[in-house]
Each structure stands twice: as structure tokens, then as C-alpha cells.
Amino acid sequence: MSRLMESDPPDRVLTVPNLLSVVRLALIPVFIYALMVAHANGWAVAILMFSGASDWADGKIARTLNQSSRLGVLLDPAVDRLYMITVPVVLAFDGIVPWWFVATLLVRDGLLAACLPLLRSRGLSALPVTYIGKAATFALMSGFPLVLLGTWDALWSRVIGACGWGFLIWGLYAYLWAFALYAVQMTLVLRRMPKVAGGRA
């Protein structure tokens, strides 16, 4: 439990990781327009590839260049959650991924969201992001563009699509595994941390 919550990061806004998170956030409506309205699948793939790579890069930069921040701790996982809702739902509407896959992701995120009031009652705003959770998000964000590339009528497309589904299946498994780890952390918080008046530390 001593390692559950780390010391607070600096209170700063203008960092490279935060900029990457803001760009990823701004690209969400662009992705929806590209795929659902303009039917520009190539641009949609490019947006997803950039988003997956930048999601990895912002964490790496934050650690390597000591650019972590309170805003980044909240913004990066929030943008990840938005992508994990928006991208599969849009792909399901386009018939690229099945709805059961989307429902599994949404139920998992919904259960995590339901835990927020309990965390706030202990003076916490969120649980620490785990490496398996980051790896799961990266696998899913890598798999979605590959599956989208698999929609072309060519052999190379079908091969890439199969690889994409490999990423998605592994990513879904890791996503559920990360949820189990969060459940353990949540149990420790509820058992070992007293309630805070007003839900604030």
C-alpha cells in the first residue's frame, strides 16, 4: 500500500506530454468525420496510428525528461478513455468490429467509473495507471488501425487485418487483466484508507 500512491507531480501545464494529449483529444472528432462522413479510411488509419504512438511517447517523455504534471496525470488517462469509447463504437457502427467487443470495453470502463465516488470518499481522484493498463491501451490502439487497414480488398489487407485482430484480442485480455489489478488496488484503498470529510484530501 505504501507504493499505491506516489508523491504529487509538479503543478504545471506547458509540457510536451500535455501537448501530445491535447492533440490526441482534438483528433477524436477529426477521426469520426474522416471515417463516418468523408469515408477517408486512409486518414482515419493515420489518426489512429499517430494516437497510439503519441500515447506511448507522452509517458516516455514525461519519465525521461521529468515532465510529469498533475494535469498530465489526469489528462492522459482521460483521453485514453475517450479513445477507448469513441474508436470501437465508431468502428462498430461501420461494421468493422462486432458489438460484443465494444460492449466488453464499455462495461469494463463503466465499472471503473462507478468506483470514482468511492475513491473520492478517500480523498483520491484516480488510481495509479498500471503498466499492463498502458500496454493494453497501446495494443488496442495498434490493433484498431490494422483492422481498419484490413477492410481493403487485397491479400496484403487481409493479412494486416488478421494481425490487427491478434493485437485486439491480446489487448482485450490485457484490458481485463488491468481491470482485475485496479480491483485489487481499490480493495486496498477501501480497507486501509479512512474516509475523508467532504471527499477531499
Side-chain angles (χ1 to χ4, degrees):
M1 184 65 185
S2 61
R3 294 179 58 85
L4 182 60
M5 299 301 298
E6 300 176 355
S7 58
D8 290 339
D11 188 9
R12 52 189 174 186
V13 175
L14 298 178
T15 66
V16 174
N18 288 347
L19 176 61
L20 289 175
S21 293
V22 169
V23 171
R24 286 195 295 129
L25 180 62
L27 286 175
I28 292 177
V30 179
F31 166 76
I32 296 173
Y33 177 83
L35 189 62
M36 301 297 293
V37 180
H39 303 291
N41 288 18
W43 282 107
V45 169
I47 290 171
L48 292 184
M49 292 180 69
F50 170 81
S51 298
S54 62
D55 180 46
W56 172 85
D58 63 8
K60 185 70 173 178
I61 292 171
R63 292 187 298 272
T64 303
L65 302 182
N66 192 27
Q67 291 198 355
S68 61
S69 65
R70 293 179 185 175
L71 176 62
V73 169
L74 297 175
L75 183 61
D76 179 52
V79 175
D80 287 347
R81 297 288 72 74
L82 285 175
Y83 265 92
M84 286 299 98
I85 294 172
T86 304
V87 173
V89 167
V90 171
L91 293 180
F93 270 114
D94 212 40
I96 297 172
V97 299
W99 279 106
W100 67 262
F101 189 93
V102 178
T104 303
L105 297 178
L106 294 182
V107 168
R108 182 267 196 191
D109 282 347
L111 291 174
L112 278 183
C115 293
L116 289 178
L118 294 175
L119 285 175
R120 293 194 179 108
S121 72
R122 265 64 177 181
L124 304 177
S125 59
L127 292 170
V129 177
T130 63
Y131 284 109
I132 188 65
K134 294 291 289 185
T137 300
F138 183 75
L140 290 170
M141 293 309 297
S142 298
F144 286 133
L146 294 178
V147 168
L148 187 53
L149 278 173
T151 59
W152 274 267
D153 187 18
L155 177 60
W156 64 268
S157 178
R158 290 192 290 271
V159 171
I160 291 177
C163 293
W165 272 109
F167 273 101
L168 290 185
I169 292 171
W170 184 88
L172 181 63
Y173 168 77
Y175 211 54
L176 296 176
W177 183 11
F179 174 77
L181 296 179
Y182 290 137
V184 171
Q185 290 180 344
M186 189 68 196
T187 301
L188 292 175
V189 166
L190 295 179
R191 287 182 176 179
R192 301 184 183 184
M193 294 185 68
K195 289 185 178 182
V196 178
R200 296 180 62 87

